Amino acid sequence: MEAHALLRLSSPPLFSLKTTSLPNYNNNHHHTMRHRTTICNCTLTSSSTRPTLSPNSLQYPSGFLGAVPDRTSSPSDDSDTNATVVNAMTYLTNMLSSKVYDVAIESPLHFAPKLSERLGVNLWLKREDLQPVFSFKLRGAYNMMQKLPREQLEKGVICSSAGNHAQGVALAAKKLNCNAVIAMPVTTPEIKWKSVERLGATVVLIGDSYDEAQAYAKKRAQVDGRTFVPPFDHPDVIMGQGTVGMEIVRQMQGPLHAIFVPVGGGGLIAGIAAYVKRVSPEVKIIGVEPSEANAMALSLHHGQRVILDQVGRFADGVAVKEVGEETFRLCKELVDGVVLVSRDSICASIKDVFEEKRSILEPSGALALAGAEAYCKYYGLKGENVVAITSGANMNFDKLRVVTELANVGRKQEAVLATIMPEEPGSFKQFCQLVGQMNITEFKYRFSSNEKAVVLYSVGVHTASELKAMKERMESCQLKTFNLTESDLVKDHLRYLMGGRSNIQNEVLCRFIFPERPGALMKFLDSFSPQWNISLFHYRGQGETGANVLVGIQVPRVEMDEFHGRANRLGYEYTLVNNDEFYHLLMR
């Protein structure tokens, strides 16, 4: 096997690429040279005619089973029915004969006594986070690669990934004595690409987004004759992931109500459904997605694959803009629906697993558990056996800070509030008396020149009735109080900006996603400065591939078209938040 290396590509790039689409996140890839350079303007075009939708276009209560596929229409003829049966049996028999255990372990199914007692069900954790690369991804990668002819393996493989798929391909290549190239965005945290290098693959860091890395990988596969290993949308990959379902059926004693599966591109849930629904059709297969990355839910809701116009990156292992063609076909036929959950509830589930097993999951690894908890609470499920797949533990350490801050909010054990009180002697003491026995966990206040002051604070909450009673006490004393707990803008930015209030003329407030790489800030400034004054800037690293930045820019109304043009050419995702009520409450 040839020596591995890290390659950062810069101009001139190996291939010419163009881009009009926004980032997607799922795959990896390796290269063979030893010099380091950088490429930042790699782009690609898409001829897709699929609808582009916002994640916000489909939202429903946490725990509710939505996006239930419409399977009322029957196949057009008997040949369609026969083809479906044959296809299903092909998946089933291939999983039974899969050689994934050359590299993967049969992960244990652990009972979670504390969570079970709290929820009133028998909750089981399928511990895919205990795999050699701390993720289920090696199953699909190896299952596909070990089926390649020897002559094809000798030409090498290539993939694109920002995390777990990269490590799966690298380990599979090492086992098969095959050269692997992994293309990763330049924004990939060092801990992730170094983990891939240690497995013997060659890393190419290219582009700001997954889309750009994938375009490079697919083009290079054609030029080098390498085999491109997709992260989810390939029958052999789906079959490899489906062995998780085969193990659950074998390990679970007694009737099983549901299996909760994290959903990104759909490979894991498609594989599990393809097996479980054929041998135990009564078991519900329920997908779980972040509410800000709900490509599968939207696709099932509309009956066709859609593309997200933007995607939340907190659970980066499932942050994809479109699901696979084959995975969607299987999910539309076999899954029972999708549960959506928030960042806060994902953080709460990470804490739950830590307290249960002393293990730390990555956000996508705790996603299924968050969905299972929300589902059981929403439907009042009692006494049933429920399985949640803990799919990965490749946690970026920097992200733990955010997880600890949001976990208690996700558990409904902490609430973020704002109260308007008079700027006069004794008002602070009155406020504390009204809080009563509730524990204040955070308090921020600065003298205001106005007659009224706004304080931002957090309180420990044991029951919803306690919070309601405290709010009513405030309101009875004419202290208007707002519950900000559900506002990501407050939790990500505004809570750190308390202390200054101003009414700035022509201020446009935006949330930008900056790529986490050197030069990203200067590229932003070159786009807008010195034409317009920057009136606010707040950045806080969260251990993600993209940095969440709140920016205020003074742009006259007549120049807004020019502003949008420059922002679009910049290529960073952005959203205007000028009308956010809590921004006006706390900052204006």
Side-chain angles (χ1 to χ4, degrees):
M1 187 186 302
E2 66 182 276
H4 64 275
L6 168 69
L7 177 67
R8 291 181 186 270
L9 288 182
S10 73
S11 54
L14 186 60
F15 308 109
S16 176
L17 304 171
K18 283 193 165 185
T19 200
T20 54
S21 59
L22 294 171
N24 203 348
Y25 309 85
N26 242 45
N27 301 43
N28 283 357
H29 173 135
H30 242 68
H31 194 281
T32 57
M33 302 181 207
R34 287 199 171 271
H35 53 83
R36 298 189 184 198
T37 49
T38 310
I39 189 167
C40 301
N41 296 316
C42 174
T43 58
L44 62 133
T45 58
S46 172
S47 59
S48 171
T49 58
R50 291 189 295 280
T52 299
L53 301 172
S54 166
N56 291 330
S57 66
L58 180 66
Q59 297 293 317
Y60 39 84
S62 180
F64 175 77
L65 184 61
V68 177
D70 180 7
R71 292 195 278 265
T72 56
S73 57
S74 58
S76 58
D77 54 41
D78 289 342
S79 62
D80 288 343
T81 302
N82 292 335
T84 299
V85 173
V86 170
N87 185 276
M89 289 307 298
T90 300
Y91 273 97
L92 191 68
T93 55
N94 274 273
M95 288 180 213
L96 290 169
S97 60
S98 174
K99 298 181 179 180
V100 298
Y101 302 107
D102 291 348
V103 292
I105 64 168
E106 179 172 323
S107 59
L109 187 66
H110 284 164
F111 182 64
K114 295 177 184 177
L115 283 168
S116 296
E117 182 179 0
R118 186 199 306 169
L119 295 171
V121 298
N122 300 312
L123 182 64
W124 302 81
L125 304 176
K126 179 60 172 167
R127 299 296 304 277
E128 284 298 288
D129 57 298
L130 300 180
Q131 290 292 350
V133 293
F134 308 106
S135 163
F136 72 94
K137 284 286 189 177
L138 80 169
R139 293 176 183 260
Y142 186 80
N143 193 59
M144 176 182 172
M145 290 167 62
Q146 63 89 22
K147 292 183 178 181
L148 295 174
R150 188 68 241 176
E151 59 270 21
Q152 190 61 52
L153 279 175
E154 289 173 356
K155 294 179 181 179
V157 298
I158 189 168
C159 77
S160 50
S161 173
N164 293 339
H165 180 57
Q167 294 186 63
V169 171
L171 181 61
K174 184 176 182 179
K175 179 68 176 179
L176 295 167
N177 195 31
C178 164
N179 174 257
V181 176
I182 315 292
M184 308 179 84
V186 296
T187 55
T188 303
E190 183 177 355
I191 187 174
K192 291 190 176 182
W193 62 255
K194 279 194 171 182
S195 296
V196 175
E197 277 198 331
R198 281 194 289 270
L199 291 169
T202 302
V203 174
V204 176
L205 298 178
I206 179 169
D208 288 338
S209 71
Y210 168 74
D211 279 350
E212 295 169 9
Q214 183 186 63
Y216 169 86
K218 288 184 174 180
K219 186 67 175 178
R220 182 165 173 185
Q222 296 174 2
V223 173
D224 291 0
R226 293 177 179 269
T227 298
F228 178 77
V229 183
F232 46 79
D233 201 19
H234 189 284
D236 289 331
V237 173
I238 295 169
M239 292 169 192
Q241 321 296 35
T243 55
V244 175
M246 181 177 68
E247 292 172 13
I248 292 172
V249 171
R250 182 166 59 241
Q251 294 168 325
M252 189 70 227
Q253 302 298 316
L256 177 58
H257 176 77
I259 300 173
F260 289 84
V261 188
V263 178
L268 180 60
I269 191 171
I272 290 174
Y275 184 90
V276 175
K277 284 295 186 181
R278 299 310 173 191
V279 299
S280 301
E282 75 283 358
V283 177
K284 293 182 184 296
I285 306 298
I286 298 174
V288 186
E289 290 184 304
S291 57
E292 58 185 8
N294 54 354
M296 182 63 79
L298 270 165
S299 297
L300 293 174
H301 178 76
H302 290 281
Q304 63 174 319
R305 288 195 298 153
V306 306
I307 301 171
L308 297 182
D309 61 359
Q310 57 184 348
V311 60
R313 294 172 175 78
F314 181 73
D316 53 2
V318 295
V320 303
K321 290 201 164 184
E322 56 181 314
V323 300
E325 183 176 359
E326 177 66 359
T327 60
F328 174 68
R329 187 190 68 79
L330 288 167
C331 288
K332 187 178 179 182
E333 177 187 342
L334 298 171
V335 305
D336 293 281
V338 177
V339 168
L340 302 180
V341 296
S342 66
R343 279 190 318 166
D344 301 348
S345 58
I346 294 171
C347 292
S349 291
I350 293 173
K351 184 176 181 179
D352 288 340
V353 172
F354 176 76
E355 293 181 347
E356 189 84 54
K357 302 296 181 183
R358 293 299 184 267
S359 296
I360 298 177
L361 301 178
E362 62 186 279
S364 58
L367 181 61
L369 176 58
E373 292 189 63
Y375 175 91
C376 292
K377 293 174 184 175
Y378 187 89
Y379 290 101
L381 199 67
K382 298 298 177 185
E384 301 280 5
N385 285 310
V386 171
V387 171
I389 297 171
T390 56
S391 59
N394 288 300
M395 168 67 89
N396 187 327
F397 191 79
D398 293 338
K399 192 173 284 188
L400 284 174
R401 176 177 55 197
V402 180
V403 171
T404 56
E405 287 182 355
L406 298 180
N408 284 340
V409 174
R411 278 186 172 182
K412 308 300 182 186
Q413 292 177 346
E414 186 176 60
V416 182
L417 305 165
T419 293
I420 301 174
M421 62 184 189
E423 192 70 86
E424 61 186 26
S427 60
F428 188 21
K429 181 177 180 180
Q430 180 193 27
F431 168 84
C432 292
Q433 289 171 337
L434 293 171
V435 171
Q437 296 301 310
M438 298 188 71
N439 182 39
I440 297 177
T441 57
E442 174 187 30
F443 188 92
K444 294 179 180 177
Y445 157 72
R446 180 74 170 94
F447 177 83
S448 172
S449 59
N450 299 324
E451 293 180 355
K452 301 287 187 180
V454 177
V455 295
L456 179 69
Y457 57 104
S458 299
V459 294
V461 180
H462 296 288
T463 65
S465 60
E466 285 180 311
L467 181 62
K468 182 181 178 182
M470 189 204 78
K471 192 171 182 292
E472 289 175 350
R473 289 197 299 272
M474 293 287 183
E475 300 280 358
S476 68
C477 293
Q478 285 73 54
L479 300 184
K480 184 68 174 176
T481 298
F482 302 85
N483 190 338
L484 317 183
T485 309
E486 300 301 321
S487 171
D488 288 341
L489 185 65
V490 170
K491 289 177 289 189
D492 289 345
H493 299 290
L494 300 185
R495 71 195 305 177
Y496 305 104
L497 296 172
M498 283 294 293
R501 295 165 62 82
S502 58
N503 192 358
I504 299 173
Q505 186 177 13
N506 296 324
E507 186 177 51
V508 176
L509 194 70
C510 304
R511 297 185 78 177
F512 278 88
I513 303 297
F514 278 34
E516 285 278 24
R517 61 166 175 79
L521 175 58
M522 283 305 303
K523 182 179 178 182
F524 171 85
L525 294 175
D526 287 342
S527 298
F528 300 110
S529 180
Q531 168 116 10
W532 301 302
N533 181 53
I534 294 175
S535 55
L536 181 150
F537 195 94
H538 181 256
Y539 157 67
R540 188 164 179 274
Q542 297 183 350
E544 301 179 32
T545 55
N548 194 340
V549 182
L550 182 67
V551 182
I553 306 176
Q554 289 182 269
V555 182
R557 185 181 299 273
V558 295
E559 298 177 14
M560 281 302 297
D561 287 344
E562 182 181 356
F563 169 79
H564 285 297
R566 292 190 180 207
N568 291 334
R569 287 192 296 274
L570 174 64
Y572 299 173
E573 291 183 29
Y574 75 100
T575 305
L576 297 183
V577 292
N578 270 62
N579 295 326
D580 186 271
E581 61 175 319
F582 298 138
Y583 169 72
H584 286 273
L585 172 68
L586 299 174
M587 303 295 296
R588 300 297 290 272

